[in-house]
């Protein structure tokens, strides 16, 4: 019995329970900058003892082998086969419209050329080689010269169908050692402005990268683990699998309470240790308030009300998200107490 007058909500199954596959994002989940996130490697190795563990990354600049080597250096047991990259998903998409053997204009780095070559495509860097498609992904060396080649290749030709254009991902930014830099979405946007059309996207939050993972690992009984709402959580929802948001990366409590319906995670955790721990159930009380553990949050019209701070800040955040998300009201019109989205985990 709680000192605060109300019993805690029951504990449900651990997020990892009964899953066949965990799909982990990399940056903000496994590592941040150069170093591993404290505890992440140990928890993922522990998880891998009972469930298949795959890694899923939008970063197109590295090959699956490079990524696996990096993960191994950090202490994870990872092989190239465990890594699903956006270039792999881009190649799957490409195969639907352009047969292997064709010449493809590549805007990007080794991560892309490696996958295209493995799949039997010829790679060119020039629009003058009459490519059958354009595939674009991030690499630090991509510059105006390359974007211009894409624009020349994609220019509308009278009487001809538009050339297939596939981009690995839409991420506007890419985190690097010195801060946030323009990502592939920003570079694609430059070409888009020049040619007045959009590519098809392969990476998160689009589903091709998830489909590539389901096919590789032979199951759809998967849990997505990520740190970004607009790629990891949104992508998992679109792919029809549950998702777990870990507060070790980009999106913080403030973004969580404000998240739109298409990117709500099923679990919110402070660290990957909680993968293995029973997860408290969310219970709606008779007065409409939402309770998680002993934390309780209700709504008075557009005012968010903390009824009980409860046993832990994470349960307060979970209850707050449940109340706000359950209200169906847009965050912009709500009055939210700051205590609710205070960041205890940064
Ligand atoms: Mg990430």
């Amino acid at each position: 019995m709680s000192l605060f007058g109300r019993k805690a909500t029951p504990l449900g199954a651990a997020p990892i329970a009964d899953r066949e596959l965990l799909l982990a994002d990399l940056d903000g989940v496994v590592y941040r900058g150069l170093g591993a996130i404290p505890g992440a490697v140990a928890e993922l190795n522990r998880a891998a003892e009972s469930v298949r563990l795959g890694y899923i990354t939008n970063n197109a600049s590295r090959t699956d082998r490079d990524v696996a080597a990096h993960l191994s250096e950090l202490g994870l047991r990872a092989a190239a086969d465990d890594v699903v990259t956006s270039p792999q998903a881009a190649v799957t998409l490409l195969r639907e419209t352009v047969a292997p053997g064709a010449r493809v204009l590549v805007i990007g780095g080794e991560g892309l050329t490696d996958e295209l070559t493995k799949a039997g495509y010829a790679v060119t860097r020039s629009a003058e080689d009459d490519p059958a498609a354009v595939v674009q992904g991030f690499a630090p060396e991509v510059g105006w010269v390359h974007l211009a080649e894409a624009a020349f290749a994609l220019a509308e030709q009278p009487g001809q169908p538009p050339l297939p254009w596939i981009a690995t991902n839409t991420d506007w930014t890419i985190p690097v050692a010195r801060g946030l830099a323009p990502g592939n979405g920003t570079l694609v946007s430059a070409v888009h402005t020049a040619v007045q059309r959009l590519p098809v996207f392969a990476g998160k939050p689009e589903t091709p990268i998830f489909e590539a993972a389901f096919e590789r690992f032979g199951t759809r009984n998967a849990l997505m683990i990520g740190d970004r709402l607009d790629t990891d959580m949104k992508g998992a929802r679109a792919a029809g699998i549950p998702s777990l948001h870990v507060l070790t990366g980009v999106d913080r409590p403030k973004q969580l309470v404000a998240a739109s319906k298409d990117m709500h995670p099923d679990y919110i955790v402070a660290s990957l240790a909680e993968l293995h721990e029973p997860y408290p159930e969310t219970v709606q009380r008779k007065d409409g308030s939402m309770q998680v553990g002993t934390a309780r949050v209700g709504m008075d019209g557009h005012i968010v009300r903390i009824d009980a701070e409860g046993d832990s800040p994470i349960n307060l955040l979970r209850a707050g998200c449940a109340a706000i998300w359950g209200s169906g009201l847009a965050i912009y019109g709500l009055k939210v107490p700051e205590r609710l989205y205070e960041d205890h985990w940064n």
Side-chain angles (χ1 to χ4, degrees):
M1 192 62 184
S2 152
L3 287 175
F4 305 100
R6 224 181 258 276
K7 272 194 349 195
T9 59
L11 291 173
I16 197 176
D18 298 322
R19 313 282 177 206
E20 289 178 356
L21 171 65
L22 296 184
L23 291 174
D25 173 54
L26 297 178
D27 211 306
V29 172
V30 178
Y31 51 76
R32 193 163 42 190
L34 290 176
I37 287 168
V41 169
E43 296 302 340
L44 287 171
N45 277 334
R46 184 179 158 202
E49 288 169 14
S50 59
V51 61
R52 184 79 159 97
L53 176 59
Y55 300 91
I56 187 162
T57 176
N58 267 2
N59 189 332
S61 64
R62 299 189 297 172
T63 66
D64 50 4
R65 296 181 305 281
D66 293 340
V67 173
H70 180 202
L71 295 176
S72 300
E73 263 169 46
L74 295 176
L76 288 158
R77 293 180 289 269
D81 243 15
D82 300 323
V83 181
V84 182
T85 68
S86 60
Q88 291 168 353
V91 167
T92 306
L93 272 179
L94 181 66
R95 261 201 225 104
E96 290 171 12
T97 46
V98 179
R103 205 167 16 232
V104 175
L105 176 64
V106 174
I107 315 300
E110 205 200 338
L112 264 181
T113 54
D114 182 63
E115 289 300 332
L116 285 162
T117 312
K118 273 198 280 185
Y121 292 97
V123 168
T124 176
R125 297 288 185 173
S126 169
E128 303 213 324
D129 283 341
D130 201 16
V134 175
V135 179
Q136 180 169 3
F138 176 80
E141 62 270 21
V142 170
W144 179 88
V145 172
H146 312 100
L147 300 179
E149 287 303 317
F152 301 148
L154 293 166
E156 216 178 300
Q157 307 285 347
Q160 300 243 25
L163 202 68
W165 178 20
I166 297 166
T168 54
N169 61 302
T170 50
D171 300 42
W172 294 111
T173 55
I174 186 158
V176 293
R178 291 170 60 201
L180 278 185
N184 195 51
T186 305
L187 298 173
V188 165
S189 174
V191 179
H192 156 72
T193 306
V195 302
Q196 294 296 303
R197 51 181 275 226
L198 280 170
V200 176
F201 291 99
K204 299 173 285 183
E206 304 302 321
T207 47
I209 194 166
F210 289 92
E211 291 298 331
F214 300 151
E215 198 181 313
R216 169 98 54 91
F217 301 116
T219 178
R220 306 179 79 92
N221 178 6
L223 175 71
M224 176 69 203
I225 303 171
D227 71 309
R228 276 183 82 134
L229 295 162
D230 61 351
T231 51
D232 303 323
M233 303 303 121
K234 190 177 179 182
R237 284 218 154 243
I241 61 169
S243 58
L244 176 140
H245 185 94
V246 61
L247 288 162
T248 49
V250 172
D251 281 326
R252 313 304 315 160
K254 198 172 181 174
Q255 284 83 39
L256 277 166
V257 296
S260 57
K261 195 170 180 227
D262 56 350
M263 46 186 86
H264 291 167
D266 296 274
Y267 305 93
I268 301 168
V269 299
S271 83
L272 294 186
E274 289 167 83
L275 265 179
H276 311 275
E277 293 167 14
Y279 193 84
E281 283 177 13
T282 301
V283 172
Q284 184 162 26
R285 319 273 353 161
K286 280 205 193 78
D287 65 357
S289 65
M290 294 292 193
Q291 183 176 340
V292 181
T294 52
R296 224 168 354 109
V297 179
M299 305 284 295
D300 284 326
H302 70 286
I303 297 170
V304 183
R305 186 189 72 223
I306 298 177
D307 292 339
E309 296 237 358
D311 44 7
S312 67
I314 192 88
N315 278 345
L316 181 62
L317 174 64
R318 289 163 176 160
C321 286
I324 291 168
W325 298 348
S327 77
L329 299 171
I331 191 75
Y332 313 105
L334 298 183
K335 224 176 140 202
V336 187
E338 267 179 50
R339 270 196 335 280
L340 198 66
Y341 55 85
E342 211 178 303
D343 197 340
H344 301 265
W345 303 278
N346 218 345

